Amino acid sequence: MLDIAADLHRWCREGRDFAVATVVAVSGSAPRQPGAALAVDTEGAVVGSVSGGCVEGAVHDLCLEALRTGGTVRERFGCSDEDAFATGLTCGGVLDVLVSPVRAADPARPVYAAAVAAAARGEAVAVVRVTAGPAALLGRALLVRPGGGRTGTLGGAPVRDGEALDRTAARTARAMLDTGRTGAVTLGADGGRCGRPLELLVEVGLPPARMIVFGAVDFAAALARVGTFLGYRVTVCDARPVFATRERFPEADEVVTAWPHRYLETTGVDGRTVLCVLTHDAKFDVPLLCRALRLPVAYVGAMGSRRTHLDRLERLREAGVTESELARLRSPIGLDLGARTPEETALSIAAEIVADRRGGSGVPLTGAHTPIHRDGQSPSRRGRFGSVV
């Protein structure tokens, strides 16, 4: 649901009633992961997607039915050899989708409204929803904030101690916020690990991950556009004020005039941040990469020819960078797409970033035997980093 927060926040402000269909479980090959959502208002307008098109029509009808009846339902979609082209997932996967009405009189409306408002502002939040259990609790929602606040409740009849359930669910959600992970958890209805089970979906929304592009060159302008398209908060940094201007980089979120390594020493980064060094000038690159390769960021890439790369490696070794630190450097930056133009080069860089994040091989899917849809980040990062957008 939080992936379409901006649209739902607008619908809430406009006073629209709507229903939200959220993917709560996935098995097999499926294009969307838990948390992906589609919403339909009373006029039939649609935002979002739960399957990339396979079952959208059926889910649209379920949303309209939920708006009519006020009931929350959980529906499973899949396919068999016999009905591969009927309603279902022709890719062979199975999706469980929770459909909940969000009308003005519904008790969960304030929780949904607060959640999408916070996510639209770029705040870190988690939404916990009951996806399987007693019918009276299905669709109940709890908004959890990192600092300790929460809105809504999962409790009530037939649960004896709703407060205990909310406390346990909130602790679980905050732990998942720390790792940026959306997923299903099972708790006892009394807030413990025993007793009648409830299945919950904890959906985590984080501020956009950062992409910091060093070097105010044409390639940086193209990469800023692609980075923004991918949902990053993009910063362009260069020490030369004549080049680092807002006019040259209108699609960047910020343009900073500073020596790159000094800026990197003072700005905030985390395990989702990607650093792209496009300066290919030793006086900028070496001090910058000495710092960058020692930070707990997701990706560090540097532009340059293979000769530039070899020279850069020697300079970095002389500056005290270890072999294990050098192994983190993606250089020359990007995947081999045969790119020539700034736009093609930006696509090459973005493709490597996505492949690194998702554990992709970077090889053509034609003739390959690797999974098309993976269930998380690259194996080396699983459990450490969350989703970007």
Side-chain angles (χ1 to χ4, degrees):
M1 176 185 73
L2 299 181
D3 63 341
I4 53 173
D7 290 307
L8 296 187
H9 178 46
R10 174 170 53 83
W11 283 8
C12 286
R13 286 189 286 108
E14 293 172 353
R16 297 197 207 184
D17 289 347
F18 56 91
V20 177
T22 305
V23 177
V24 297
V26 172
S27 64
S29 177
R32 305 300 305 276
Q33 292 299 306
L38 176 149
V40 180
D41 73 359
T42 52
E43 300 300 317
V46 180
V47 294
S49 171
V50 293
S51 70
C54 301
V55 300
E56 313 296 64
V59 172
H60 181 277
D61 291 343
L62 283 175
C63 286
L64 291 177
E65 179 67 10
L67 282 170
R68 186 182 67 82
T69 65
T72 294
V73 298
R74 176 168 171 158
E75 190 78 17
R76 174 163 291 179
F77 294 94
C79 77
S80 64
D81 292 339
E82 291 75 24
D83 64 358
F85 292 98
T87 297
L89 291 166
T90 57
C91 53
V94 176
L95 295 179
D96 281 21
V97 177
L98 185 76
V99 181
S100 300
V102 187
R103 304 175 303 180
D106 292 325
R109 171 88 178 205
V111 180
Y112 282 90
V116 297
R121 292 192 297 266
E123 299 174 9
V125 292
V127 179
V128 186
R129 279 177 283 173
V130 179
T131 62
L137 301 187
L138 198 63
R140 289 285 191 98
L142 180 71
L143 169 64
V144 180
R145 300 178 184 274
R150 66 180 194 250
T151 303
T153 182
L154 306 178
V159 176
R160 291 173 297 173
D161 190 353
E163 178 64 19
L165 175 61
D166 290 345
R167 287 197 304 267
T168 304
R171 284 197 300 269
T172 302
R174 290 190 190 100
M176 295 175 73
L177 266 169
D178 288 342
T179 61
R181 182 174 67 88
T182 289
V185 298
T186 301
L187 296 177
D190 60 356
R193 299 291 177 179
C194 301
R196 189 174 186 182
L198 294 177
E199 185 176 313
L200 310 176
L201 176 70
V202 180
E203 185 181 354
V204 168
L206 296 174
R210 296 192 69 187
M211 172 184 284
I212 308 179
V213 182
F214 297 97
V217 297
D218 288 346
F219 295 99
L223 186 55
R225 290 196 293 275
V226 174
T228 299
F229 174 74
L230 290 177
Y232 286 97
R233 175 173 164 253
V234 179
T235 299
V236 175
C237 175
D238 196 295
R240 304 165 297 175
V242 68
F243 293 108
T245 65
R246 170 56 64 185
E247 290 72 23
R248 297 189 70 229
F249 302 97
E251 294 180 75
D253 293 282
E254 58 181 350
V255 180
V256 175
T257 303
W259 275 81
H261 71 285
R262 292 174 184 162
Y263 175 71
L264 190 57
E265 289 171 353
T266 59
T267 194
V269 298
D270 61 24
R272 300 179 300 140
T273 302
V274 300
L275 306 177
C276 302
V277 181
L278 309 187
T279 49
H280 51 83
D281 183 331
K283 69 176 178 290
F284 295 120
D285 291 1
V286 173
L288 172 60
L289 289 171
C290 283
R291 174 65 175 163
L293 292 171
R294 291 164 179 159
L295 291 174
V297 295
Y299 174 93
V300 181
M303 177 176 279
S305 66
R306 298 194 185 280
R307 178 178 296 179
T308 298
H309 169 65
L310 294 175
D311 176 71
R312 180 189 291 135
L313 290 180
E314 289 307 309
R315 291 175 184 268
L316 289 170
R317 289 187 181 103
E318 291 171 2
V321 179
T322 67
E323 294 302 317
S324 62
E325 290 166 344
L326 288 176
R328 300 185 59 212
L329 177 61
R330 299 302 188 103
S331 175
I333 195 171
L335 297 184
D336 180 10
L337 304 182
R340 295 292 185 185
T341 67
E343 290 75 18
E344 290 172 348
T345 302
L347 178 61
S348 165
I349 296 169
E352 183 174 57
I353 290 170
V354 172
D356 185 64
R357 177 176 173 236
R358 299 297 190 185
S361 66
V363 303
L365 291 173
T366 301
H369 300 286
T370 55
I372 295 175
H373 304 298
R374 289 171 170 82
D375 62 356
Q377 286 73 42
S378 122
S380 63
R381 303 192 192 285
R382 195 164 292 139
R384 242 181 93 199
F385 304 126
S387 58
V388 170
V389 281

